Structures are given as C-alpha cells and as structure tokens.
Amino acid sequence: MSREKKENINIQKEPLSRRGFFNKLWIGLGTLAGIEVLGISLNFLLSSSKMGKNDLASFIVAGKVDDFKPNSVTPFRSGKFYLSRLNDGGFLAMSLTCTHLGCSVGWNKLENTFICPCHSSSFEINGDVTNQPAPRALDLLPVIIENEIVKVNPNEKTKRQSFSSSQLTYHVV
Amino acid sequence: MKKELKKNNIFKRFKDSIYTRSINPKKERDRIQVVFQSLALHLHPTMIPEKALKFSVTWGLGGMAALLILLQALTGILLRFVYQPFPGKAYDSIIYLKNNILFGDLIRNFHHWSGTFLVLIVFLHLLRVYFTGAYHDKRQFNWVLGVFLLLFVIFSNFTGYLLPWDQLAFWAITVSTSMLFYVPLIGDTLVEMVRGGSEIGEATLLIFYNFHTSILPLLLLAVMGFHFWRVRKAGGVVFPKSESDTENKLVTTLPHLIFREFVVALILIAVILLFSIFFDAPLLEKANPAFSPNPAKAPWYFEGLQELMLHFHPLFAAIIIPTFITLFLISLPYLKYDSKVTGIWFLSDKGKQTSKISAFVGLIITPSLIIMDEYFFDFSLILESIPPVISNGLFPFTLLLLLQTGYYKYIKIKYTTNKAETIQAMFVLNLIIFLVLTLTSILFRGEGMALTLPWN
Ligand code: HEM
Ligand code: HEM
Ligand code: FES
C-alpha cells in the first residue's frame, strides 16, 4: 500500500516517465472514444427530428373576405389555427396552441375569449393574454388577401409578446 | 437393481447436473447451502437476524418494488408482441389487443395497475428508508441509487403513458414536454430533442417507445442489482440493535425470510389481479391534435406538479422547484448531522412530536394558500409593471423559502431539536405540501382547472 503511494508520487515528480505517459495516453484515448460514442448516440437520437419535418411553406385558402363578419372568430382545426376578424375589419390568424404549455385553446363565443382547458389561461379576440399563466399572446400566422380570398400559412408561427395593430391584415378595395 | 437403474437414468442425471438438493431440506446446514448455491436466492445472506424479519422493519416495500419491476418486464414483453409504435396504428393495436386477444385486456390492465402500484410502493419505500434513518454512513450512496431508481420508475410510467396514443396520452405528453420550453437558453432545443421535432408525432412515439421498452428497463435492472448489492454490503437492513447477543439471534434465511417474501409476493399479485379484473386501464378516443379535452390532466403522480403550475410561473413550477426537490433528496444523506440514529422510526420522541406538528401545519397552510391564490390574491395584478417571471415566480418563491427558513428556526428553537430532527420536520412539512397539492389536483380540479367539489 505505502509502496504504491510512493510510486505514485514518483510518477508525479517526473511527468514524462514512460508509465506516466502511457497512463495519460490511455486516459486521453478513452475519453476520445467516450466522446465518439456519445456523439454517435446523440446523432441517432436527434436524427428523428429531421425525419418527420414538414417544410411546406404554403398558404391555404381560408375563404372569401365577406364570409368573415367583423368581430368574429373562425376555427380551422385541420390547420390548427383561428382566423379572427376584428371590429375594424382587420384580419388576424393565430395558432390555437396555448403559449403556456401547448394545449389547444377553445373559442368561447358568449364570453368573447379564448380559453385554455389546461390551466385556464384566457386570451382576447386579438390574442392578448387576459388571464395568466400564459406568458405571451397567441402565436401569429401570416395572412394574405388576394382577389377577395383570405389565405393563411399555418406552418409559419411567429412569437409575439402582445397585440399591436401592425399585425393586422386589411382588405384594401 | 432398481436403484442402479435410477442412477443411470439419463433424465435423472440431467436433472442432477442442474440441481441436486431438495428445495427445503430438513437440516439447517443444508438450508444455508440452498441459499448460497442458488443464483436467484444468493442475493440474500444465508443467515439473518431474527429481528430484521419483523414486517414493520421494512414493510417488505423494497422487495415488492423489485417484484413489480419484474412483472412489468414480463407483461411489457407480451404487450410488445401486439403493440405497434406508429401514430396511425398504435391506438388501433390497443383496441385490437382489447377486443381480439385472449386475456389481452387483462394483461394490459395488469401492466397499468402494476405500474401505478410501483410508483406508490417505491415512494412508500423511500419514506420507510427516510423515517428509519437508513441513509447514514455505508448506506449514503445507496440512497442516491434509490433516488435514481425512483426517477427511472417515474419516467418509465411517463413514457408508457404516451404509447396508447389516445387523447389522455397525447395531451398529457404535450403539456409535460412543453414544460422544457422554459429551461433557460436551451429550452427550445431540449423540446425538439425530446419530441424529435417541434410537434408531437411519429418521431416522439418512436423515442418514447424506445425509452420505455429498452433503455429504462435496462437502466432499472442494472441499478437495481447495484442497489441490492449495496444493501448486502451495508450488512443488511436497519433495525434497533440491542446490547445483548442473545437478543440479536440469527436464523436461516430459508425458510424464514424466503417464505415470508413468497407470501407477500402472492398477496401483491392477487391484489393487482383483482384490480385488473375490475378496473380497466383508461383509454379515451384516439388522439386529436386539434382538440384538448377539458380538463386535461397530467398523470396522477405529476398532478402535484400540475397544481404548482397553476400558482407559479412555469420556470419555477416546472424547472426550478422540481430541480430543487431532486437535489434536496440526493443531498439528504450528506448533510452534517450531529447524531446518526438508525433503525428507530422518526428518530426519537421529540422527532415524532415535531413531525406531527409539521404535518398539521402543512395540512392547514397548503389548502389556505391554494384558496388564497385562487380567489383573493394575484401577485401579477398587484405588481402589474413587473414581468411575470418575477411577480409570479421569483417573488412568491422567495417568500416561500423565507417562510420555510422561518419555520426551520422556529422548530429548532422552540423544541430544541437536533439537526436530524429539524431536517425531518422540514421533510414532513414539504411531504405534506406535496401530498395536498397532488390530492387537490386529483380531487378538486374540474373543468378549466377551477376548484370544484369531487362530486360535482
Ligand atoms: C418500471 C417498468 C414499467 C412501467 C412503470 C410501465 C408503465 C407503463 C404504463 C403506465 C403504460 C401505459 C398503459 C396504459 O395505461 O395504457 C405502459 C404501456 C406499455 N408498456 Fe410499460 N411499463 C414498464 C415496463 C415495460 C417494459 C419492460 C416493457 C417491454 C419491454 C413495456 C412495454 C409496454 C408497452 C408495449 C406498452 C403499450 C401498451 C399499452 O399502452 O397498454 N413496459 N407501460
Ligand atoms: C425500483 C425501486 C427500488 C427497489 C426495487 C428497491 C429495493 C430495495 C430492497 C429490496 C431493499 C432491502 C430492504 C427493503 O426491502 O426495504 C432496499 C433497501 C434500501 N433502499 Fe431501496 N429500492 C428502490 C428504490 C429506493 C428509493 C427510491 C430509495 C430512496 C431514495 C431507496 C433507498 C434504499 C436504502 C437507503 C436502502 C437500505 C435500507 C436499510 O438498510 O434499511 N430505494 N431497497
Ligand atoms: S397550456 Fe394553456 S394554460 Fe397551460
């Protein structure tokens, strides 16, 4: 026991003794091999995120401008968004995914609010938070109006803190 | 003549090459040999103190947990023959299992209930170990291994939850994985990693399936082996030792311990079977990514966490507080104690008294705080100009820490407790808080997560 200790001390004193060198080499190579294995495993784990990606950056048709009355909300379940038309006629497309923890918010016509069933966050017709815990307004989706037709791109979410009128799209005649 | 024939019988020789002894021999020395020579039984010592046999020393909880994990592996392997880990097929494969396979429903229910009991029993085992002070000295690291086992068991349950791909599964996993968004800096990357993409989909299912049916079971088995070995190395379980040698009498493990374990195992299996016969594992409609059910509740062991989510900013409710709790649990054996009492429930009479007081305080304070936060107080409204991370997170969290520190000082001074007793009082307080949160969420949260009565 004590002899071993002495040897250890000797090794420390002359850093380039043959044994010390090989020890370090082993540790170095071992670490390298460990990192390689870890890297390869992580790459396997992460590869699946590339597999299922849908990169369709395409707009879908929501309907004619006149189909949407001012101060109304229309759900598009398959695209997972809501199309709001505010009192002044401006359009706003919002993801139905709650910004708190990702449940689908529902539109409550009577109370004129979006309500999340999971932790009871609520949002105004323009997506602003009226009741926490949700930390920010509902995510925006781009809207364009072409030839009286409203189109929304459901795949391009933009985060925002709160509503501002610059987010609205108007139908200019 | 006949005897000779028997000796040369090839079947007999084959059997003897595997195992020669009788299973429960008459002589004590032979019984010791049976345990020593058997692969399965030699996890046990050959002789154990008679006192350690008393049921109330361990309540048999560790053994039950081990049994349940084996049963999970067996029923899980059966389920794997039918289950198909693809979003389009998973739900239908479970329906097929339920309707078309002999005892398919029973096996699924068994896997479900055994998983539920497992979480409960492992948690009770942790309490048993803590309250008998079985985490000092040689047992320190085994406690840490135990905490990892607890985490693995919870994650096993959690990953299993997604597999049926029904509304319950889909939204519980959506909410739980979304919590990772709030990890500072790397949140988005973490969520992508866990889900295998930005949304829950086929990649998520594959990842969860792989963790559930291979990575976690392997981890569990490996760490369990280590855990058992450590129990042996620490010289067995804790119990109050007495001075005289005659009272610390040793008895043979076979039959005294083995038979007891056998009986406990049979009873546990019978109870789970009864549950599996009478109560079906839940299965809602097929997952629909556009509709969250109302209310959308987390799996029951996470409901305490979910209740916390209603009161704190997610950074605190989902990340900081759980991390705190885990670190607190891991560090428990390594705090500096002035006395190390082992084998005595709640340490001492004073320990019992302060534990009771803490339980009482927890029972009164937690519901009061929940009701106050629900109906009267809203920090985020009072402190409107401040970002919610602070008004709804840092601020109430600091307040809570201050209250706890105050309580620590109070107990210490008022009851002149030693360190172990004071820590124990804090442990009990937080345990009760956790239990009340969990029960509130399970029983008193209805539509929109508003407080209601269970029968409404
Ligand atoms: C500690 C161990 C385990 C726990 C706590 C556990 C827990 C669960 C839970 C809660 C479910 C959901 C069942 C439901 O209620 O619908 C589940 C499903 C499943 N588990 Fe496990 N499990 C464990 C081990 C295993 C193992 C070792 C395997 C296979 C090798 C396995 C295979 C499966 C399969 C295929 C399903 C899908 C079938 C279904 O959902 O009914 N499990 N598990
Ligand atoms: C899968 C989960 C677990 C299994 C299968 C398991 C199994 C066991 C078994 C069979 C024993 C022998 C005595 C007894 O039955 O109580 C034991 C003792 C012990 N366990 Fe666990 N355990 C698990 C989880 C835990 C957890 C969560 C903790 C604590 C955080 C823990 C800490 C300990 C300690 C410290 C001992 C030694 C107790 C003593 O010496 O009296 N274990 N465990
Ligand atoms: S997910 Fe909407 S409030 Fe929590």
Side-chain angles (χ1 to χ4, degrees):
Chain A
M1 187 65 197
S2 65
R3 191 194 268 172
E4 248 172 57
K5 254 188 195 155
K6 258 184 213 154
E7 265 178 12
N8 272 335
I9 291 166
N10 279 342
I11 289 166
Q12 274 170 1
K13 264 187 192 155
E14 31 179 333
L16 263 180
S17 79
R18 202 155 59 165
R19 238 172 102 185
F21 173 71
F22 276 113
N23 269 345
K24 282 201 179 120
L25 195 65
W26 272 119
I27 293 173
L29 285 177
T31 317
L32 201 67
I35 293 174
E36 278 169 8
V37 170
L38 196 75
I40 291 172
S41 311
L42 270 182
N43 190 44
F44 260 83
L45 186 64
L46 292 175
S47 69
S48 47
S49 63
K50 288 157 208 149
M51 193 173 71
K53 222 164 224 169
N54 52 344
D55 44 11
L56 310 161
S58 53
F59 281 82
I60 62 167
V61 172
K64 280 206 199 114
V65 171
D66 294 336
D67 290 349
F68 306 99
K69 293 193 192 73
N71 198 23
S72 75
V73 170
T74 316
F76 290 82
R77 293 286 170 190
S78 57
K80 296 212 274 178
F81 67 89
Y82 285 104
L83 188 64
S84 286
R85 190 166 196 195
L86 304 192
N87 268 331
D88 67 353
F91 282 96
L92 199 60
M94 292 171 290
S95 160
L96 54 66
T97 305
C98 178
T99 53
H100 181 226
L101 291 173
C103 289
S104 298
V105 299
W107 172 246
N108 185 325
K109 236 181 204 160
L110 295 177
E111 296 179 23
N112 230 30
T113 50
F114 295 101
I115 296 179
C116 179
C118 291
H119 314 97
S120 65
S121 288
S122 57
F123 307 85
E124 275 175 56
I125 189 171
N126 61 21
D128 264 349
V129 180
T130 48
N131 190 21
Q132 288 186 2
R136 52 192 165 76
L138 292 172
D139 290 344
L140 272 185
L141 302 174
V143 177
I144 49 174
I145 298 173
E146 283 175 340
N147 306 326
E148 311 268 304
I149 303 283
V150 185
K151 294 177 182 176
V152 176
N153 180 354
N155 298 316
E156 206 185 303
K157 285 187 203 170
T158 320
K159 291 181 182 172
R160 56 172 177 165
Q161 272 313 313
S162 57
F163 170 75
S164 80
S165 53
S166 64
Q167 293 158 354
L168 291 170
T169 309
Y170 290 95
H171 174 49
V172 253
V173 191
Chain B
M1 185 63 194
K2 226 180 180 180
K3 212 172 186 186
E4 208 146 280
L5 224 156
K6 216 176 178 185
K7 230 182 200 168
N8 287 326
N9 184 330
I10 185 165
F11 297 111
K12 166 105 171 73
R13 275 183 286 139
F14 182 64
K15 186 205 142 240
D16 285 353
S17 75
I18 305 171
Y19 196 80
T20 42
R21 287 164 208 286
S22 96
I23 291 180
N24 187 23
K26 294 260 154 36
K27 279 199 213 130
E28 191 161 281
R29 243 192 42 223
D30 292 340
R31 288 202 214 119
I32 291 177
Q33 279 302 314
V34 171
V35 173
F36 194 66
Q37 302 285 350
S38 146
L39 174 66
L41 296 182
H42 95 284
L43 287 173
H44 294 302
T46 55
M47 305 277 283
I48 51 165
E50 193 172 20
K51 277 189 170 171
L53 281 177
K54 223 175 131 197
F55 194 58
S56 61
V57 169
T58 66
W59 299 98
L61 291 164
M64 291 190 212
L67 171 69
L68 288 184
I69 286 179
L70 283 184
L71 289 175
Q72 284 305 73
L74 292 180
T75 47
I77 288 169
L78 286 183
L79 289 173
R80 266 182 61 134
F81 279 112
V82 183
Y83 178 77
Q84 299 193 294
F86 312 100
K89 293 180 175 171
Y91 185 78
D92 297 335
S93 72
I94 302 264
I95 296 285
Y96 182 79
L97 172 82
K98 281 167 73 74
N99 295 342
N100 299 15
I101 295 191
L102 188 64
F103 292 130
D105 221 6
L106 187 74
I107 294 294
R108 172 165 187 260
N109 291 350
F110 198 97
H111 197 74
H112 174 87
W113 287 116
S114 159
T116 305
F117 272 83
L118 185 59
V119 175
L120 268 178
I121 284 174
V122 171
F123 189 65
L124 290 177
H125 174 62
L126 180 149
L127 295 185
R128 185 297 275 179
V129 170
Y130 182 74
F131 288 121
T132 53
Y135 52 87
H136 293 301
D137 302 329
K138 277 188 256 165
R139 297 185 176 85
Q140 277 177 327
F141 187 62
N142 213 14
W143 170 272
V144 178
L145 290 179
V147 175
F148 277 96
L149 284 174
L150 176 68
L151 292 178
F152 294 155
V153 163
I154 289 177
F155 282 120
S156 291
N157 225 310
F158 178 66
T159 46
Y161 209 75
L162 177 65
L163 302 186
W165 204 253
D166 61 345
Q167 279 288 73
L168 202 62
F170 188 88
W171 291 102
I173 304 300
T174 303
V175 169
S176 320
T177 50
S178 296
M179 292 183 186
L180 293 175
F181 273 126
Y182 293 93
V183 177
L185 304 177
I186 52 166
D188 290 10
T189 328
L190 264 183
V191 177
E192 288 238 333
M193 212 164 117
V194 172
R195 290 185 180 171
S198 56
E199 312 258 320
I200 294 203
E202 54 186 4
T204 325
L205 188 50
L206 200 58
I207 291 175
F208 274 53
Y209 180 66
N210 198 8
F211 269 88
H212 187 79
T213 62
S214 59
I215 298 176
L216 285 167
L218 285 177
L219 281 174
L220 267 171
L221 287 182
V223 177
M224 241 163 67
F226 198 6
H227 192 62
F228 297 160
W229 182 71
R230 281 282 184 158
V231 175
R232 289 287 306 273
K233 285 286 149 190
V237 298
V238 298
F239 58 91
K241 301 218 169 46
S242 58
E243 301 292 312
S244 67
D245 275 351
T246 46
E247 278 194 50
N248 292 329
K249 200 178 119 205
L250 292 180
V251 295
T252 50
T253 303
L254 184 78
H256 298 282
L257 178 60
I258 308 280
F259 278 22
R260 270 160 226 242
E261 288 178 336
F262 191 62
V263 172
V264 170
L266 286 184
I267 294 176
L268 183 63
I269 293 176
V271 169
I272 294 179
L273 260 179
L274 280 178
F275 263 80
S276 312
I277 291 169
F278 291 112
F279 305 103
D280 270 346
L283 189 70
L284 301 185
E285 313 84 73
K286 195 171 181 161
N288 178 350
F291 269 109
S292 307
N294 187 358
K297 288 198 178 180
W300 63 272
Y301 41 86
F302 279 157
E303 286 204 37
L305 204 64
Q306 190 176 29
E307 180 65 29
L308 220 52
M309 299 294 295
L310 300 179
H311 305 288
F312 288 90
H313 185 275
L315 174 62
F316 283 82
I319 312 293
I320 292 184
I321 295 178
T323 310
F324 240 71
I325 294 174
T326 313
L327 290 181
F328 174 67
L329 276 182
I330 290 179
S331 68
L332 266 177
Y334 300 97
L335 304 176
K336 259 204 145 77
Y337 297 102
D338 29 28
S339 76
K340 292 177 181 168
V341 179
T342 54
I344 296 173
W345 281 87
F346 301 103
L347 305 173
S348 59
D349 285 342
K350 205 181 270 172
K352 275 188 195 128
Q353 189 197 7
T354 43
S355 295
K356 273 186 207 151
I357 292 168
S358 304
F360 183 72
V361 170
L363 272 179
I364 299 295
I365 288 220
T366 324
S368 320
L369 284 179
I370 291 175
I371 289 172
M372 245 161 54
D373 189 41
E374 185 89 2
Y375 297 114
F376 304 115
F377 251 178
D378 199 341
F379 286 126
S380 57
L381 290 185
I382 301 168
L383 311 168
E384 184 128 34
S385 54
I386 303 175
V389 190
I390 297 182
S391 66
N392 226 357
L394 190 61
F395 183 64
F397 181 66
T398 316
L399 210 64
L400 220 63
L401 278 188
L402 284 179
L403 278 177
Q404 297 235 0
T405 319
Y407 186 74
Y408 183 93
K409 294 253 161 72
Y410 168 78
I411 288 287
K412 194 173 156 186
I413 292 165
K414 173 97 194 279
Y415 297 95
T416 58
T417 47
N418 64 27
K419 176 107 175 228
E421 288 159 351
T422 331
I423 300 272
Q424 182 179 261
M426 299 313 288
F427 186 95
V428 172
L429 179 69
N430 285 291
L431 172 70
I432 297 293
I433 292 177
F434 174 73
L435 292 182
V436 172
L437 287 175
T438 304
L439 285 179
T440 308
S441 182
I442 293 178
L443 296 176
F444 299 105
R445 290 279 173 195
E447 206 164 291
M449 286 291 149
L451 283 179
T452 52
L453 293 172
W455 46 89
N456 284 353

